[in-house]
Amino acid sequence: MNLLNTLVDKGLRGEAPTREEALAVLATSDDDVLDVVAAAGKVRRHWFGRRVKLSYLVNLKSGLCPEDCSYCSQRLGSKADILKYTWLGPDDASKAAAAGVSGGAKRVCLVASGRGPTDRDVERVSETIRTIKERNEGVEVCACLGLLSDGQAERLRAAGADAYNHNLNTSEATYGDISTTHTYADRVDTVRKAHAAGLSPCSGLIAGMGESDEDLVDVVFALRALDPDSVPVNFLIPFEGTPLGKEWNLTPQRCLRILAMVRFVCPDVEVRVAGGREVHLRTLQPLALHLANSIFLGDYLTSEGQAGHADLEMIADAGFEVEGMDEVTLPEHRAAGGCESAEGEGSRASAAVPDAQAGQARTDLVAVRRRGAGTDLAPNA
């Protein structure tokens, strides 16, 4: 397929495809999905070999968020039966983080629901970061606390944070359909604040919310323009009790095409398969390792993932290896500078087109987290 040969050549040079080429990846058929995976896999292996970086989530504060993000089980008005608790102390958070590190995680992601942190919250999280760093030599810490005010990113960096996550989630044109309590521009501003403060920027998307192919391409090119070091690709977990609880628009093949498109657009960036991989990729999860070089170990914020030992077995069985603490994740040129700005502007479709091959609703695969942080039960790591 000439398209795939062109994309591989560009990817090996660190160049982005055109918008038309990115859209063409999403438009390939299920019959061609293994060819698409094989092509994107060449790009992934060129920049990252067979290493898989493991990250581990610690939900510092669960539920009761004042924002109205339609996809989120912690949103204002959510009826999802999730764990709800206020801030974990540094000791409890550190113990949760240690479970992930002992399971092989190189990065710990500290997440708290809410619009954004107060200055007191920043100090609270800073103390937690310092505690985790003192007890776990070499671990990376990423904070994800919502929208940042001036000076807060610098304070987190001074406390020892290595990265900051704030996802764009969807295209600018459709963002107002997902949330009304903040804007797409607010999210972009926070990613830029983190980057300017010297934090490694982490920003990604959520697929499966009813968006069009054009929306997916728009948000991935917007992410490339922001120059993040890591791009988490989430697949919507349709929680009952949320506005998107009935959005079952993804198939395993569709998920693989999305991951391949992200890899082609950001060839030398850490691409992470994040929330929803068990729900939507299911038995095809190992194929995603040929596209992404990073996954979350164990559970997510409010839902359970597959067992941590199963994640490790999957990585080994697929012929990959867990990235060690002493290994540098990013290619040398990215660690020093970053990828180019996005190439190729184009018009977007005026209306979202539902996936003609949408999967059956698998509500049995959505398991609310009942263990780990905020509970008395051992975490999954």
Side-chain angles (χ1 to χ4, degrees), residues 54 56 97-98 100-101 105-109 129 131-142 160-162 325:
L54 299 181
Y56 189 72
V101 173
K106 181 177 180 177
R107 172 174 287 190
V108 172
C109 302
I129 292 169
T131 301
I132 290 173
K133 289 270 191 171
E134 288 169 1
R135 297 181 183 179
N136 300 276
E137 184 178 357
V139 70
E140 298 175 6
V141 176
C142 178
D162 300 282
M325 287 282 191

Side-chain angles (χ1 to χ4, degrees), residues 97-120:
V101 173
S102 66
K106 181 177 180 177
R107 172 174 287 190
V108 172
C109 302
L110 303 178
V111 187
S113 62
R115 178 179 178 84
T118 65
D119 287 341
R120 173 68 185 93

Side-chain angles (χ1 to χ4, degrees), residues 60-83:
L60 295 178
K61 180 168 72 76
S62 183
L64 308 176
C65 182
E67 302 298 286
D68 70 350
C69 305
S70 300
Y71 53 82
C72 186
S73 60
Q74 303 183 78
R75 73 187 298 273
L76 177 70
S78 170
K79 294 180 173 57
D81 185 25
I82 62 169
L83 290 170

Side-chain angles (χ1 to χ4, degrees), residues 2-350:
N2 290 335
L3 168 68
L4 296 180
N5 291 334
T6 298
L7 292 175
V8 170
D9 288 344
K10 287 186 174 183
L12 297 182
R13 295 195 300 267
E15 298 175 9
T18 65
R19 280 182 50 85
E20 290 70 24
E21 289 167 341
L23 286 167
V25 172
L26 296 179
T28 55
S29 72
D30 286 353
D31 290 340
D32 293 324
V33 72
L34 290 180
D35 293 331
V36 173
V37 170
K42 292 179 182 178
V43 178
R44 180 254 201 263
R45 288 191 301 276
H46 175 78
W47 296 109
F48 298 98
R50 288 188 168 272
R51 292 173 287 117
V52 177
K53 182 175 181 176
L54 299 181
S55 294
Y56 189 72
L57 285 167
V58 178
N59 199 359
L60 295 178
K61 180 168 72 76
S62 183
L64 308 176
C65 182
E67 302 298 286
D68 70 350
C69 305
S70 300
Y71 53 82
C72 186
S73 60
Q74 303 183 78
R75 73 187 298 273
L76 177 70
S78 170
K79 294 180 173 57
D81 185 25
I82 62 169
L83 290 170
K84 297 181 178 68
Y85 53 86
T86 190
W87 290 95
L88 295 182
D91 187 60
D92 287 338
S94 181
K95 288 177 181 177
V101 173
S102 66
K106 181 177 180 177
R107 172 174 287 190
V108 172
C109 302
L110 303 178
V111 187
S113 62
R115 178 179 178 84
T118 65
D119 287 341
R120 173 68 185 93
D121 293 336
V122 170
E123 182 52 43
R124 188 198 316 268
V125 175
S126 295
E127 184 179 353
T128 297
I129 292 169
R130 287 188 287 266
T131 301
I132 290 173
K133 289 270 191 171
E134 288 169 1
R135 297 181 183 179
N136 300 276
E137 184 178 357
V139 70
E140 298 175 6
V141 176
C142 178
C144 178
L145 311 174
L147 301 174
L148 292 174
S149 301
D150 290 344
Q152 291 183 329
E154 287 79 4
R155 291 171 61 190
L156 292 168
R157 184 75 184 99
D162 300 282
Y164 195 84
N165 166 259
H166 200 61
N167 296 329
L168 298 188
N169 290 330
T170 193
S171 68
E172 182 175 12
T174 58
Y175 196 84
D177 297 332
I178 299 301
S179 179
T180 64
T181 49
H182 61 269
T183 67
Y184 179 92
D186 291 332
R187 287 186 170 267
V188 169
D189 178 66
T190 285
V191 177
R192 288 174 173 161
K193 279 186 170 73
H195 206 169
L199 292 167
S200 175
C202 173
S203 188
L205 65 143
I206 304 173
M209 299 190 291
E211 69 282 337
S212 68
D213 285 1
E214 288 78 7
D215 290 317
L216 287 170
V217 170
D218 280 351
V219 69
V220 177
F221 272 87
L223 287 166
R224 182 179 169 95
L226 279 176
D227 193 25
D229 290 330
S230 58
V231 176
V233 180
N234 297 277
F235 301 109
L236 176 71
I237 301 176
F239 272 95
E240 293 185 9
T242 64
L244 298 183
K246 298 187 184 301
E247 291 286 339
W248 290 86
N249 302 311
L250 298 172
T251 64
Q253 294 82 4
R254 170 77 168 165
C255 294
L256 291 172
R257 286 192 288 269
I258 292 168
L259 286 168
M261 185 271 288
V262 175
R263 173 55 69 200
F264 285 131
V265 175
C266 293
D268 52 359
V269 170
E270 178 188 346
V271 175
R272 183 180 308 118
V273 191
R277 64 178 164 91
E278 298 90 344
V279 177
H280 296 294
L281 281 161
R282 301 191 285 275
T283 58
L284 295 193
Q285 287 183 70
L287 288 179
L289 297 176
H290 292 272
L291 307 169
N293 62 296
S294 178
I295 66 171
F296 279 115
L297 175 73
D299 294 334
Y300 303 99
L301 297 177
T302 61
S303 65
E304 294 185 353
Q306 69 183 15
H309 68 83
D311 288 334
L312 298 177
E313 289 174 356
M314 176 181 71
I315 291 169
D317 288 347
F320 293 87
E321 59 186 23
V322 174
E323 183 173 292
M325 287 282 191
D326 58 344
E327 295 182 278
V328 177
T329 301
L330 295 173
E332 184 178 354
H333 72 279
R334 274 211 55 81
C339 66
E340 303 164 358
S341 296
E343 300 175 17
E345 296 297 327
S347 60
R348 63 177 304 278
S350 58

